[in-house]
PDB file of all heavy atoms in Angstrom:
ATOM      1  N   LEU A  51     -15.142 -11.142  -8.147  1.00 96.00           N
ATOM      2  CA  LEU A  51     -14.071 -12.044  -7.582  1.00 96.00           C
ATOM      3  C   LEU A  51     -13.200 -12.598  -8.561  1.00 96.00           C
ATOM      4  O   LEU A  51     -12.034 -12.791  -8.220  1.00 96.00           O
ATOM      5  CB  LEU A  51     -14.897 -13.194  -6.946  1.00 96.00           C
ATOM      6  CG  LEU A  51     -15.625 -12.798  -5.534  1.00 96.00           C
ATOM      7  CD1 LEU A  51     -16.366 -13.973  -5.098  1.00 96.00           C
ATOM      8  CD2 LEU A  51     -14.759 -12.188  -4.559  1.00 96.00           C
ATOM      9  N   GLU A  52     -13.651 -12.917  -9.851  1.00 97.00           N
ATOM     10  CA  GLU A  52     -12.738 -13.668 -10.728  1.00 97.00           C
ATOM     11  C   GLU A  52     -12.101 -12.605 -11.667  1.00 97.00           C
ATOM     12  O   GLU A  52     -11.420 -13.054 -12.614  1.00 97.00           O
ATOM     13  CB  GLU A  52     -13.574 -14.613 -11.536  1.00 97.00           C
ATOM     14  CG  GLU A  52     -14.198 -15.731 -10.792  1.00 97.00           C
ATOM     15  CD  GLU A  52     -13.122 -16.673 -10.256  1.00 97.00           C
ATOM     16  OE1 GLU A  52     -12.214 -17.057 -11.006  1.00 97.00           O
ATOM     17  OE2 GLU A  52     -13.054 -16.932  -8.980  1.00 97.00           O
ATOM     18  N   ARG A  53     -12.183 -11.390 -11.406  1.00 98.00           N
ATOM     19  CA  ARG A  53     -11.614 -10.324 -12.398  1.00 98.00           C
ATOM     20  C   ARG A  53     -10.224 -10.514 -12.651  1.00 98.00           C
ATOM     21  O   ARG A  53      -9.832 -10.504 -13.890  1.00 98.00           O
ATOM     22  CB  ARG A  53     -12.010  -8.843 -11.888  1.00 98.00           C
ATOM     23  CG  ARG A  53     -11.488  -7.742 -12.890  1.00 98.00           C
ATOM     24  CD  ARG A  53     -10.340  -7.009 -12.247  1.00 98.00           C
ATOM     25  NE  ARG A  53      -9.692  -6.180 -13.215  1.00 98.00           N
ATOM     26  CZ  ARG A  53      -9.447  -4.847 -12.946  1.00 98.00           C
ATOM     27  NH1 ARG A  53      -9.904  -4.213 -11.894  1.00 98.00           N
ATOM     28  NH2 ARG A  53      -8.779  -4.187 -13.946  1.00 98.00           N
ATOM     29  N   LEU A  54      -9.325 -10.594 -11.620  1.00 97.00           N
ATOM     30  CA  LEU A  54      -8.030 -10.502 -11.810  1.00 97.00           C
ATOM     31  C   LEU A  54      -7.533 -11.887 -12.610  1.00 97.00           C
ATOM     32  O   LEU A  54      -6.667 -11.922 -13.476  1.00 97.00           O
ATOM     33  CB  LEU A  54      -7.153 -10.434 -10.528  1.00 97.00           C
ATOM     34  CG  LEU A  54      -7.367  -9.113  -9.854  1.00 97.00           C
ATOM     35  CD1 LEU A  54      -6.650  -8.982  -8.622  1.00 97.00           C
ATOM     36  CD2 LEU A  54      -6.835  -7.934 -10.703  1.00 97.00           C
ATOM     37  N   LYS A  55      -8.155 -13.027 -12.236  1.00 98.00           N
ATOM     38  CA  LYS A  55      -7.852 -14.167 -12.703  1.00 98.00           C
ATOM     39  C   LYS A  55      -8.211 -14.395 -14.255  1.00 98.00           C
ATOM     40  O   LYS A  55      -7.420 -14.835 -15.057  1.00 98.00           O
ATOM     41  CB  LYS A  55      -8.559 -15.381 -11.950  1.00 98.00           C
ATOM     42  CG  LYS A  55      -8.238 -16.809 -12.534  1.00 98.00           C
ATOM     43  CD  LYS A  55      -8.838 -17.951 -11.754  1.00 98.00           C
ATOM     44  CE  LYS A  55      -8.398 -19.281 -12.311  1.00 98.00           C
ATOM     45  NZ  LYS A  55      -8.607 -19.483 -13.678  1.00 98.00           N
ATOM     46  N   ILE A  56      -9.323 -13.865 -14.562  1.00 98.00           N
ATOM     47  CA  ILE A  56      -9.857 -13.944 -15.920  1.00 98.00           C
ATOM     48  C   ILE A  56      -8.871 -13.020 -16.808  1.00 98.00           C
ATOM     49  O   ILE A  56      -8.489 -13.548 -17.861  1.00 98.00           O
ATOM     50  CB  ILE A  56     -11.273 -13.381 -16.066  1.00 98.00           C
ATOM     51  CG1 ILE A  56     -12.252 -14.428 -15.472  1.00 98.00           C
ATOM     52  CG2 ILE A  56     -11.623 -13.143 -17.431  1.00 98.00           C
ATOM     53  CD1 ILE A  56     -13.718 -13.848 -15.303  1.00 98.00           C
ATOM     54  N   GLN A  57      -8.525 -11.804 -16.448  1.00 98.00           N
ATOM     55  CA  GLN A  57      -7.784 -11.048 -17.246  1.00 98.00           C
ATOM     56  C   GLN A  57      -6.308 -11.468 -17.134  1.00 98.00           C
ATOM     57  O   GLN A  57      -5.500 -11.486 -18.310  1.00 98.00           O
ATOM     58  CB  GLN A  57      -7.670  -9.580 -16.703  1.00 98.00           C
ATOM     59  CG  GLN A  57      -9.117  -8.835 -17.008  1.00 98.00           C
ATOM     60  CD  GLN A  57      -9.151  -7.433 -16.481  1.00 98.00           C
ATOM     61  OE1 GLN A  57      -8.761  -7.100 -15.432  1.00 98.00           O
ATOM     62  NE2 GLN A  57      -9.570  -6.617 -17.503  1.00 98.00           N
ATOM     63  N   TYR A  58      -5.841 -12.018 -16.148  1.00 98.00           N
ATOM     64  CA  TYR A  58      -4.393 -12.694 -16.102  1.00 98.00           C
ATOM     65  C   TYR A  58      -4.351 -13.819 -17.113  1.00 98.00           C
ATOM     66  O   TYR A  58      -3.497 -13.847 -17.885  1.00 98.00           O
ATOM     67  CB  TYR A  58      -4.021 -13.119 -14.752  1.00 98.00           C
ATOM     68  CG  TYR A  58      -2.795 -13.946 -14.460  1.00 98.00           C
ATOM     69  CD1 TYR A  58      -1.553 -13.255 -14.443  1.00 98.00           C
ATOM     70  CD2 TYR A  58      -2.754 -15.454 -14.685  1.00 98.00           C
ATOM     71  CE1 TYR A  58      -0.502 -13.967 -14.221  1.00 98.00           C
ATOM     72  CE2 TYR A  58      -1.685 -16.054 -14.743  1.00 98.00           C
ATOM     73  CZ  TYR A  58      -0.421 -15.379 -14.433  1.00 98.00           C
ATOM     74  OH  TYR A  58       0.779 -16.055 -14.392  1.00 98.00           O
ATOM     75  N   ASP A  59      -5.346 -14.638 -17.052  1.00 98.00           N
ATOM     76  CA  ASP A  59      -5.287 -15.874 -17.961  1.00 98.00           C
ATOM     77  C   ASP A  59      -5.421 -15.363 -19.432  1.00 98.00           C
ATOM     78  O   ASP A  59      -4.763 -16.005 -20.310  1.00 98.00           O
ATOM     79  CB  ASP A  59      -6.555 -16.784 -17.669  1.00 98.00           C
ATOM     80  CG  ASP A  59      -6.371 -17.591 -16.298  1.00 98.00           C
ATOM     81  OD1 ASP A  59      -5.196 -17.570 -15.900  1.00 98.00           O
ATOM     82  OD2 ASP A  59      -7.383 -18.069 -15.825  1.00 98.00           O
ATOM     83  N   TYR A  60      -6.213 -14.426 -19.661  1.00 98.00           N
ATOM     84  CA  TYR A  60      -6.376 -13.826 -21.070  1.00 98.00           C
ATOM     85  C   TYR A  60      -4.984 -13.358 -21.601  1.00 98.00           C
ATOM     86  O   TYR A  60      -4.617 -13.678 -22.762  1.00 98.00           O
ATOM     87  CB  TYR A  60      -7.376 -12.766 -20.975  1.00 98.00           C
ATOM     88  CG  TYR A  60      -7.669 -12.251 -22.486  1.00 98.00           C
ATOM     89  CD1 TYR A  60      -8.631 -12.715 -23.275  1.00 98.00           C
ATOM     90  CD2 TYR A  60      -6.811 -11.196 -22.926  1.00 98.00           C
ATOM     91  CE1 TYR A  60      -8.944 -12.304 -24.595  1.00 98.00           C
ATOM     92  CE2 TYR A  60      -7.107 -10.766 -24.327  1.00 98.00           C
ATOM     93  CZ  TYR A  60      -8.112 -11.214 -24.960  1.00 98.00           C
ATOM     94  OH  TYR A  60      -8.313 -10.773 -26.300  1.00 98.00           O
ATOM     95  N   LEU A  61      -4.271 -12.577 -20.859  1.00 98.00           N
ATOM     96  CA  LEU A  61      -3.094 -11.992 -21.145  1.00 98.00           C
ATOM     97  C   LEU A  61      -1.970 -13.191 -21.341  1.00 98.00           C
ATOM     98  O   LEU A  61      -1.058 -13.060 -22.183  1.00 98.00           O
ATOM     99  CB  LEU A  61      -2.478 -10.938 -20.343  1.00 98.00           C
ATOM    100  CG  LEU A  61      -3.305  -9.551 -20.273  1.00 98.00           C
ATOM    101  CD1 LEU A  61      -2.906  -8.659 -19.207  1.00 98.00           C
ATOM    102  CD2 LEU A  61      -3.223  -8.987 -21.668  1.00 98.00           C
ATOM    103  N   GLU A  62      -2.102 -14.102 -20.432  1.00 98.00           N
ATOM    104  CA  GLU A  62      -1.059 -15.223 -20.551  1.00 98.00           C
ATOM    105  C   GLU A  62      -1.395 -15.930 -21.808  1.00 98.00           C
ATOM    106  O   GLU A  62      -0.265 -16.484 -22.455  1.00 98.00           O
ATOM    107  CB  GLU A  62      -1.234 -16.196 -19.332  1.00 98.00           C
ATOM    108  CG  GLU A  62      -0.708 -15.643 -18.071  1.00 98.00           C
ATOM    109  CD  GLU A  62       0.826 -15.720 -18.032  1.00 98.00           C
ATOM    110  OE1 GLU A  62       1.369 -16.823 -17.924  1.00 98.00           O
ATOM    111  OE2 GLU A  62       1.410 -14.613 -18.092  1.00 98.00           O
ATOM    112  N   LYS A  63      -2.519 -16.183 -22.180  1.00 98.00           N
ATOM    113  CA  LYS A  63      -2.792 -16.958 -23.446  1.00 98.00           C
ATOM    114  C   LYS A  63      -2.696 -16.066 -24.725  1.00 98.00           C
ATOM    115  O   LYS A  63      -2.309 -16.639 -25.726  1.00 98.00           O
ATOM    116  CB  LYS A  63      -4.381 -17.330 -23.315  1.00 98.00           C
ATOM    117  CG  LYS A  63      -4.851 -18.131 -24.584  1.00 98.00           C
ATOM    118  CD  LYS A  63      -6.308 -18.565 -24.339  1.00 98.00           C
ATOM    119  CE  LYS A  63      -6.720 -19.401 -25.586  1.00 98.00           C
ATOM    120  NZ  LYS A  63      -8.238 -19.865 -25.411  1.00 98.00           N
ATOM    121  N   ASN A  64      -2.909 -14.733 -24.649  1.00 97.00           N
ATOM    122  CA  ASN A  64      -2.849 -13.914 -25.868  1.00 97.00           C
ATOM    123  C   ASN A  64      -1.642 -12.936 -25.719  1.00 97.00           C
ATOM    124  O   ASN A  64      -1.681 -11.857 -25.332  1.00 97.00           O
ATOM    125  CB  ASN A  64      -4.071 -13.160 -25.950  1.00 97.00           C
ATOM    126  CG  ASN A  64      -5.362 -14.050 -26.151  1.00 97.00           C
ATOM    127  OD1 ASN A  64      -5.684 -14.327 -27.258  1.00 97.00           O
ATOM    128  ND2 ASN A  64      -6.110 -14.214 -25.116  1.00 97.00           N
ATOM    129  N   ARG A  65      -0.383 -13.440 -26.025  1.00 97.00           N
ATOM    130  CA  ARG A  65       0.830 -12.865 -25.731  1.00 97.00           C
ATOM    131  C   ARG A  65       1.051 -11.591 -26.725  1.00 97.00           C
ATOM    132  O   ARG A  65       1.856 -10.802 -26.499  1.00 97.00           O
ATOM    133  CB  ARG A  65       1.998 -13.737 -25.997  1.00 97.00           C
ATOM    134  CG  ARG A  65       2.087 -14.961 -24.985  1.00 97.00           C
ATOM    135  CD  ARG A  65       2.066 -14.472 -23.564  1.00 97.00           C
ATOM    136  NE  ARG A  65       1.966 -15.540 -22.612  1.00 97.00           N
ATOM    137  CZ  ARG A  65       3.093 -16.164 -22.052  1.00 97.00           C
ATOM    138  NH1 ARG A  65       4.217 -15.775 -22.421  1.00 97.00           N
ATOM    139  NH2 ARG A  65       2.965 -17.143 -21.192  1.00 97.00           N
ATOM    140  N   ASP A  66       0.126 -11.579 -27.803  1.00 97.00           N
ATOM    141  CA  ASP A  66       0.261 -10.383 -28.729  1.00 97.00           C
ATOM    142  C   ASP A  66      -0.567  -9.174 -28.165  1.00 97.00           C
ATOM    143  O   ASP A  66      -0.571  -8.108 -28.700  1.00 97.00           O
ATOM    144  CB  ASP A  66      -0.180 -10.680 -29.962  1.00 97.00           C
ATOM    145  CG  ASP A  66      -1.619 -11.222 -30.111  1.00 97.00           C
ATOM    146  OD1 ASP A  66      -2.021 -11.907 -29.124  1.00 97.00           O
ATOM    147  OD2 ASP A  66      -2.348 -10.976 -31.036  1.00 97.00           O
ATOM    148  N   VAL A  67      -1.288  -9.353 -26.992  1.00 97.00           N
ATOM    149  CA  VAL A  67      -2.239  -8.256 -26.535  1.00 97.00           C
ATOM    150  C   VAL A  67      -1.365  -7.619 -25.444  1.00 97.00           C
ATOM    151  O   VAL A  67      -0.881  -8.396 -24.589  1.00 97.00           O
ATOM    152  CB  VAL A  67      -3.502  -8.863 -26.112  1.00 97.00           C
ATOM    153  CG1 VAL A  67      -4.357  -7.833 -25.425  1.00 97.00           C
ATOM    154  CG2 VAL A  67      -4.301  -9.440 -27.219  1.00 97.00           C
ATOM    155  N   PHE A  68      -1.280  -6.366 -25.461  1.00 98.00           N
ATOM    156  CA  PHE A  68      -0.665  -5.544 -24.421  1.00 98.00           C
ATOM    157  C   PHE A  68      -1.592  -5.326 -23.304  1.00 98.00           C
ATOM    158  O   PHE A  68      -1.184  -5.211 -21.967  1.00 98.00           O
ATOM    159  CB  PHE A  68      -0.070  -4.219 -24.928  1.00 98.00           C
ATOM    160  CG  PHE A  68       0.755  -3.370 -23.929  1.00 98.00           C
ATOM    161  CD1 PHE A  68       2.111  -3.712 -23.628  1.00 98.00           C
ATOM    162  CD2 PHE A  68       0.058  -2.370 -23.287  1.00 98.00           C
ATOM    163  CE1 PHE A  68       2.747  -3.074 -22.566  1.00 98.00           C
ATOM    164  CE2 PHE A  68       0.787  -1.633 -22.303  1.00 98.00           C
ATOM    165  CZ  PHE A  68       1.946  -1.966 -21.998  1.00 98.00           C
ATOM    166  N   LEU A  69      -2.882  -4.772 -23.601  1.00 98.00           N
ATOM    167  CA  LEU A  69      -3.776  -4.355 -22.647  1.00 98.00           C
ATOM    168  C   LEU A  69      -5.128  -4.886 -22.830  1.00 98.00           C
ATOM    169  O   LEU A  69      -5.592  -5.028 -24.060  1.00 98.00           O
ATOM    170  CB  LEU A  69      -3.797  -2.792 -22.746  1.00 98.00           C
ATOM    171  CG  LEU A  69      -4.830  -2.067 -21.804  1.00 98.00           C
ATOM    172  CD1 LEU A  69      -4.203  -0.613 -21.405  1.00 98.00           C
ATOM    173  CD2 LEU A  69      -6.214  -1.978 -22.291  1.00 98.00           C
ATOM    174  N   VAL A  70      -5.883  -5.315 -21.817  1.00 98.00           N
ATOM    175  CA  VAL A  70      -7.086  -5.883 -21.872  1.00 98.00           C
ATOM    176  C   VAL A  70      -8.094  -5.258 -20.911  1.00 98.00           C
ATOM    177  O   VAL A  70      -7.695  -4.893 -19.714  1.00 98.00           O
ATOM    178  CB  VAL A  70      -7.170  -7.381 -21.638  1.00 98.00           C
ATOM    179  CG1 VAL A  70      -6.732  -7.767 -20.349  1.00 98.00           C
ATOM    180  CG2 VAL A  70      -8.605  -7.924 -21.930  1.00 98.00           C
ATOM    181  N   GLY A  71      -9.261  -4.793 -21.371  1.00 98.00           N
ATOM    182  CA  GLY A  71     -10.284  -4.201 -20.472  1.00 98.00           C
ATOM    183  C   GLY A  71     -11.387  -5.276 -20.340  1.00 98.00           C
ATOM    184  O   GLY A  71     -11.212  -6.410 -20.764  1.00 98.00           O
ATOM    185  N   SER A  72     -12.597  -4.739 -19.908  1.00 98.00           N
ATOM    186  CA  SER A  72     -13.798  -5.602 -19.852  1.00 98.00           C
ATOM    187  C   SER A  72     -15.002  -4.838 -19.849  1.00 98.00           C
ATOM    188  O   SER A  72     -15.011  -3.551 -19.902  1.00 98.00           O
ATOM    189  CB  SER A  72     -13.737  -6.425 -18.592  1.00 98.00           C
ATOM    190  OG  SER A  72     -14.043  -5.654 -17.476  1.00 98.00           O
TER     191      SER A  72
END
Side-chain angles (χ1 to χ4, degrees):
L51 290 177
E52 295 294 308
R53 180 248 169 125
L54 295 179
K55 182 180 186 304
I56 290 171
Q57 290 184 307
Y58 174 87
D59 289 345
Y60 183 92
L61 290 172
E62 285 289 292
K63 182 178 179 180
N64 298 276
R65 298 301 177 94
D66 61 322
V67 174
F68 180 83
L69 179 150
V70 63
S72 78

